[in-house]
Amino acid sequence: MCPGPAAGGRPAAFPERVYTQEEVERARRLIRAGHRHRLTVAGSPPFRAKVEEALSLIRTAQMYDFLRTYIREVAEVQGLSQLREADAAVWANSYAVADPLEAAGYLIQKAQQMRDYLEGRPYFGGAGEASAVKERIRFLEELKRKTDDHTIRRRCEEALRLWDESRFL
């Protein structure tokens, strides 16, 4: 979805890269106008299947629009999983998506970091991680509330308990 016509009557395009101040500002304007990415998943069939399971949980929590506002691609890598801010992408290895609930939380966390990056707030380090973890916890609370699957609900409760306990470490 690319709202608003650009010069020549064509819809405004989201920047290919989100790196320079001009690109960040254009991305911010488009997001404020309602832009949502058409989220793509790139990788092996087992990787794509695991990501789709995670996306299903994100949809159940009604946070899919939040994810695709800030992330345009989830790509399989052999190395470290990470947010690629300039690409509005998440690179993930097979271990990061092995558990769909953990993968869903990870994707929401990275979407929040991308949001913070675009809005000029700290998106890594202590403050950035705190904001991202807060959004991940909100996701778990929403999923717990909205799912009909008792196993998923129990797993959310357990994850929330662990996040709560980790605050005291």
Side-chain angles (χ1 to χ4, degrees):
M1 177 174 145
C2 295
R10 291 177 314 228
F14 199 85
E16 190 64 33
R17 306 242 327 138
V18 188
Y19 184 71
T20 67
Q21 187 63 33
E22 180 183 314
E23 291 163 338
V24 168
E25 287 173 9
R26 184 167 47 148
R28 199 179 301 142
R29 274 192 315 272
L30 289 167
I31 286 169
R32 282 190 203 124
H35 175 83
R36 300 293 180 269
H37 294 293
R38 186 167 185 262
L39 184 65
T40 60
V41 179
S44 66
F47 176 85
R48 289 194 320 267
K50 287 292 187 183
V51 171
E52 286 302 326
E53 288 180 57
L55 294 176
S56 176
L57 295 174
I58 291 169
R59 284 184 188 99
T60 298
Q62 296 178 345
M63 294 184 76
Y64 186 69
D65 274 349
F66 170 75
L67 177 68
R68 67 190 189 98
T69 296
Y70 298 101
I71 302 298
R72 86 167 99 208
E73 179 183 41
V74 179
E76 183 176 21
V77 294
Q78 300 305 312
L80 295 174
S81 298
Q82 59 186 292
L83 172 64
R84 301 295 298 177
E85 302 90 356
D87 301 317
V90 174
W91 286 2
N93 61 35
S94 59
Y95 303 107
V97 300
D99 177 335
L101 182 63
E102 287 298 314
Y106 177 76
L107 292 174
I108 292 296
Q109 198 167 329
K110 294 305 167 191
Q112 179 62 42
Q113 287 177 298
M114 186 68 193
R115 177 185 194 177
D116 290 341
Y117 168 77
L118 289 172
E119 294 180 3
R121 296 190 299 255
Y123 63 97
F124 61 90
E129 288 299 323
S131 170
V133 167
K134 186 176 178 180
E135 193 65 18
R136 185 178 191 147
I137 289 169
R138 188 172 82 81
F139 159 73
L140 289 167
E141 290 168 343
E142 288 299 311
L143 181 60
K144 175 185 158 191
R145 194 166 60 79
K146 292 177 179 167
T147 188
D148 293 329
D149 186 319
H150 297 291
T151 302
I152 295 294
R153 189 173 296 122
R154 276 195 309 276
R155 294 216 38 231
C156 288
E157 289 168 353
E158 177 65 15
L160 287 164
R161 185 185 61 75
L162 291 172
W163 280 109
D164 188 53
E165 287 175 2
S166 73
R167 289 187 304 163
F168 302 108
L169 298 178

